[in-house]
Amino acid sequence: MSIISGMIAIIGCAVIVIILWDAFEAIVLPRRVTRRIRLMPLVLFGSWTLLSKAARRMRPGKRRERYLGFFGPLSLLLLLCVWGIGLVLGFALIHWAIGSRMTPTMNVSRFLTDVYFSGTTFFTLGLGDMIPHTRLARAVTVIEAGMGFGFLAIVIGYLPVIYQSFSRREINISLLDARAGSPPSAVELLIRHGRDQSMTQLIELLRDWERWAAELLESHLSYPVLAFFRSQHENQSWLAGLTTILDVSTLLIVGIKGVPAGQAKLTFAMARHALVDLAQNFNTPPVAPELERLTPADLALLRHNLAAAGLPLREGQEAERKLMELRRMYEPYVNAIGSYMFMRLPDWIPPSEVIDNWQTSAWERNPNAFASSPAEARPAEGDGRAVSAYQSLPFDLFY
């Protein structure tokens, strides 16, 4: 073997080792890897950087959400393709370097023949049109076939884990719809529980979200691609849900009459822990928001709405100071991740006449959907809009 062939063989082995180690860290190793130079982050975050340039030119809305919604699954498939192609090329370089004597049936260059043979071996096709004739070549072929079989098995097991984690994440986000509105807000969540006198259920909800934040931390650090999977509805996201729970916990820690703050402190700690670690993983340093999420006027309205629901927020300089300090602990991180991932942050106070996702459907947008006859769905004279008898129902019907 010449010096050039030896160098080519070393390069091929290096490519295989790099890809196998990267796949091990991304799939098998159940913890966050702090090493910066890795293949998986280069593919994931590099492709996101390219995609986000086009997304910034789009207006916020359903069109941009649909566009960004394709990135998570596609980036996962792209990563698997990069791993597979890299392993095939790595073994092809080894075959070329050791001078594997094949029996080609096509008039092509030798390296392309090695690539073809490596691909059929890695994916265990076994066509038999090319056969290695040296012992070393046969040994490399056996190793590649075994590695290809194992790689496919790991990939088959990897995809269900990703989608199961995504499903578990979305369950609590969907349950938040009827409790905190769409999009969710801290004041709406507190008011709805206050109306029902269900503060015990609110504490249970915070306990569930403490566990949800812990699962989010573990799953999204181990599998960063999950963070790019968008929720089912455009006005929901894992970041909005996490921020809403942090807002609610903050208000309870500041002090709301009749509501203990013990569970809120635990939920706040776990949620902030997840948020800060994810910001570090995405390399998004904390930045102050361009627009204040809670202006003095909003705070006054917040106090008024909570007091009207029988949940007065503690007042005074000490309460104001604590509220500001708690917000500074998480809002810069929320703002950084939201800007990076094009996720809208929830408001403290919901906009007027908000309609929850469960109150709407595609059929209720059609005025003739529930009408027993065309005459029932006719618009009133002088009104260009047809109104269905089953329009979206206000949440107040429950009270």
Side-chain angles (χ1 to χ4, degrees):
M1 181 184 298
S2 64
I3 297 178
I4 296 179
S5 298
M7 294 178 62
I8 296 297
I10 292 175
I11 293 174
C13 292
V15 170
I16 294 172
V17 170
I18 290 174
I19 292 177
L20 290 179
W21 186 252
D22 188 72
F24 170 78
E25 290 179 336
I27 298 177
V28 182
L29 188 64
R31 60 170 298 171
R32 178 169 62 97
V33 180
T34 58
R35 182 165 48 85
R36 292 188 176 274
I37 302 178
R38 295 174 55 206
L39 180 60
M40 189 272 290
L42 289 176
V43 174
L44 180 61
F45 299 129
S47 56
W48 175 255
T49 300
L50 295 176
L51 184 79
S52 62
K53 291 182 179 179
R56 293 187 186 280
R57 301 188 182 97
M58 299 181 182
R59 293 181 179 179
K62 293 184 177 181
R63 182 170 174 266
R64 190 172 76 174
E65 280 296 313
R66 285 195 296 267
Y67 173 73
L68 295 174
F70 285 102
F71 176 78
L74 286 179
S75 64
L76 184 60
L77 296 178
L78 175 64
L79 179 62
L80 298 178
C81 290
V82 169
W83 285 343
I85 293 173
L87 290 174
V88 169
L89 291 178
F91 277 104
L93 290 173
I94 294 177
H95 281 294
W96 185 90
I98 64 178
S100 302
R101 290 182 295 173
M102 308 292 180
T103 307
T105 59
M106 297 177 293
N107 186 20
V108 294
S109 66
R110 184 181 165 195
F111 179 70
L112 293 180
T113 302
D114 291 328
V115 171
Y116 169 76
F117 176 75
S118 176
T120 57
T121 303
F122 183 80
F123 293 105
T124 64
L125 294 178
L127 298 178
D129 55 341
M130 294 184 181
I131 303 173
H133 290 278
T134 63
R135 293 182 178 180
L136 182 58
R138 291 172 180 173
V140 173
T141 301
V142 172
I143 294 173
E144 182 178 7
M147 190 174 296
F149 183 80
F151 179 80
L152 294 177
I154 291 177
V155 168
I156 292 173
Y158 177 57
L159 293 179
V161 171
I162 292 294
Y163 281 92
Q164 287 172 7
S165 298
F166 170 73
S167 178
R168 288 196 302 269
R169 186 192 77 184
E170 293 300 304
I171 288 175
N172 273 24
I173 296 176
S174 298
L175 290 174
L176 201 62
D177 177 37
R179 291 170 168 82
S182 306
S185 68
V187 172
E188 188 69 15
L189 189 147
L190 289 171
I191 289 177
R192 292 186 182 185
H193 282 81
R195 286 174 179 174
D196 285 339
Q197 299 295 321
S198 55
M199 290 299 105
T200 303
Q201 295 181 11
L202 177 61
I203 300 303
E204 293 294 330
L205 178 69
L206 292 179
R207 184 176 292 112
D208 292 340
W209 275 84
E210 178 190 4
R211 180 174 294 274
W212 180 89
E215 292 181 354
L216 182 81
L217 174 64
E218 295 301 322
S219 61
H220 286 52
L221 287 185
S222 299
Y223 309 111
V225 68
L226 274 172
F228 297 93
F229 278 63
R230 318 292 280 199
S231 296
Q232 301 290 351
H233 296 278
E234 289 80 6
N235 55 7
Q236 293 177 336
S237 69
W238 63 266
L239 183 62
L242 186 65
T243 306
T244 300
I245 296 302
L246 282 165
D247 292 343
V248 171
S249 300
T250 296
L251 294 177
L252 293 179
I253 294 172
V254 170
I256 291 181
K257 184 178 179 179
V259 185
Q263 182 59 51
K265 294 178 181 179
L266 297 175
T267 303
F268 182 92
M270 188 66 253
R272 184 186 184 273
H273 184 191
L275 181 67
V276 172
D277 280 19
L278 289 174
Q280 181 180 355
N281 198 41
F282 301 142
N283 195 24
T284 53
V287 293
E290 296 181 0
L291 299 176
E292 179 68 25
R293 290 185 65 230
L294 188 62
T295 63
D298 291 335
L299 181 57
L301 181 59
L302 181 149
R303 290 183 179 277
H304 176 269
N305 292 345
L306 290 180
L311 301 171
L313 182 66
R314 187 162 66 96
E315 299 184 8
Q317 293 183 355
E318 179 64 22
E320 299 284 343
R321 182 188 62 80
K322 181 177 289 188
L323 177 61
M324 182 61 66
E325 289 180 354
L326 289 172
R327 290 177 55 203
R328 287 175 178 173
M329 292 179 66
Y330 67 91
E331 282 193 342
Y333 297 95
V334 167
N335 182 66
I337 296 179
S339 176
Y340 178 69
M341 293 191 169
F342 301 95
M343 291 181 177
R344 183 179 180 274
L345 303 183
D347 298 323
W348 284 83
I349 304 173
S352 59
E353 299 181 359
V354 166
I355 299 176
D356 296 348
N357 290 334
W358 68 268
Q359 294 176 284
T360 63
S361 74
W363 290 278
E364 288 168 347
R365 298 190 186 98
N366 180 6
N368 296 322
F370 295 100
S372 58
S373 66
E376 295 182 12
R378 291 177 182 172
E381 292 185 6
D383 185 4
R385 296 180 294 109
V387 181
S388 171
Y390 291 83
Q391 285 288 355
S392 301
L393 302 179
F395 196 85
D396 290 341
L397 286 178
F398 285 92
Y399 301 98

